[in-house]
Amino acid sequence: MPLAYGFIDYGGPDVQRFLDVPAPEPRQGEVLVEVRAAGVNPVDWKVRAGMHRAFLPLSLPAILGREVAGTVVGTGPGVTGLAAGDAVFGSTVGGSGGYAELAVLPADRAARMPDGLSFTDAAALPIAAGTAYEGLATLAPAAGRTLLILGAGGGVGAVAAQLAAMDGVRVVGTASGAKRAFVESLGATAVAYDHDGVGDRLRELLPGGADTVLDLVGGDALHGVAGVLTAGTRVLTVAAEETAARFGARPLSRTGDPGTLSALAELVAAGKLDPCVRRVFPLAAAAEALALVEDGHVTGKVVLDVTTS
């Protein structure tokens, strides 16, 4: 049986373990992939904790992980355009996790990997980078205007900062003081949220207010930057619906469009975009990798290399 890591019940890290599960089989419109690398994301531990069970029901035990890169080894009925041997990446189907040697992807949402893109970098793109790309498409910050990113040091924020700066947008990003150098390497001006005077510093940098805001922190983060939000500021947020409504914000979401993934892959392959993979663990150390992400202070992206033990 293929090696897989997941959880046997909803709860904390104590319910995680390697699972003895049969190899998945691709159904209509799906492809079976031999996983070479899998992305590790905050959504993974939230799924394990049961936070998403209302809209993502799972049969337990379940495999962790939602984004992979690998090689097609089988196709389900109705699949055209992809065949065994093709290198692809994308988000797994519901119920098929990515922390495994084999995973299932929807064929119509699996993107081909261009030459020059590594499996490790490809596995970092579907969720975090895809969310960043589509979030910026919605906000549409114009060249010369300002974008404030709350939580610029994480996987989504790091890609969003680079993409916006690439388009001539002036980017200001909040992050912990320890991530200042990292955030500024992305082309953004860093503001430490764990230091006093954050509001004053933001008003100093953005005296006319922020044109656009990408809130990747949620909670009360928007309250803390209210001083640079104007009637014309466009805001996307991961905050709760009530908070979003209070600030006239729209929810941040991701479609999984393979066109988005292909565009990102080409940028990375061309050396124009850094997916910011900063830690790579073998599948055998999946618990350690997820713990690092769950702690909430990781810089950039964490990826599992499924080909190493």
Side-chain angles (χ1 to χ4, degrees):
M1 292 186 177
L3 189 64
Y5 188 78
F7 56 103
I8 60 171
D9 199 358
Y10 291 110
D14 58 300
V15 302
Q16 297 172 190
R17 62 203 61 189
F18 282 96
L19 304 173
D20 187 16
V21 294
E25 295 186 5
R27 298 171 296 184
Q28 179 78 27
E30 297 175 348
V31 295
L32 179 65
V33 173
E34 181 179 37
V35 180
R36 301 287 297 277
V40 181
N41 296 281
V43 69
D44 299 344
W45 69 261
K46 293 176 182 178
V47 168
R48 182 213 65 216
M51 296 180 184
H52 294 182
R53 61 194 302 181
F55 54 88
L56 184 64
L58 296 173
S59 297
L60 300 177
I63 302 171
L64 286 158
R66 296 302 307 277
E67 59 182 357
V68 301
T71 305
V72 175
V73 293
T75 60
V79 173
T80 59
L82 290 175
D86 289 340
V88 298
F89 67 107
S91 297
T92 61
V93 300
S96 175
Y99 296 12
E101 293 176 323
L102 293 172
V104 176
L105 304 182
D108 62 356
R109 295 198 173 188
R112 290 178 178 274
M113 289 177 52
D115 292 341
L117 179 65
S118 69
F119 286 106
T120 300
D121 281 349
L125 299 179
I127 293 180
T131 300
Y133 187 96
E134 293 178 2
L136 286 184
T138 299
L139 283 175
R145 309 299 286 181
T146 57
L147 168 67
L148 172 60
I149 302 176
L150 307 184
V156 179
V159 171
Q162 291 179 81
L163 292 173
M166 204 180 298
D167 287 338
V169 178
R170 181 185 172 214
V171 183
V172 176
T174 67
S176 66
K179 295 182 180 180
R180 174 181 293 277
F182 172 68
V183 171
E184 294 188 342
S185 75
L186 305 171
T189 299
V191 174
Y193 64 71
D194 50 359
H195 290 183
D196 293 335
V198 175
D200 292 339
R201 175 61 174 151
L202 287 174
R203 283 189 291 272
E204 178 184 317
L205 289 169
L206 304 166
D211 296 306
T212 52
V213 176
L214 182 59
D215 170 27
L216 305 171
V217 177
D220 294 328
L222 286 175
H223 293 274
V225 300
V228 294
L229 303 182
T230 71
T233 302
R234 301 189 302 280
V235 183
L236 283 184
T237 183
V238 297
E241 185 176 341
E242 180 181 345
T243 299
R246 187 173 303 138
F247 290 95
R250 297 172 60 182
L252 177 64
S253 61
R254 180 182 59 93
T255 67
D257 182 351
T260 293
L261 300 187
S262 295
L264 288 165
E266 293 294 343
L267 287 171
V268 176
K272 297 179 180 179
L273 175 68
D274 178 5
C276 295
V277 176
R278 294 297 183 263
R279 297 292 300 273
V280 179
F281 293 81
L283 180 58
E288 183 182 351
L290 185 55
L292 183 65
V293 171
E294 189 167 357
D295 182 58
H297 299 293
V298 66
T299 297
K301 282 283 294 185
V302 176
V303 171
L304 297 176
D305 182 347
V306 181
T307 66
T308 61
S309 60

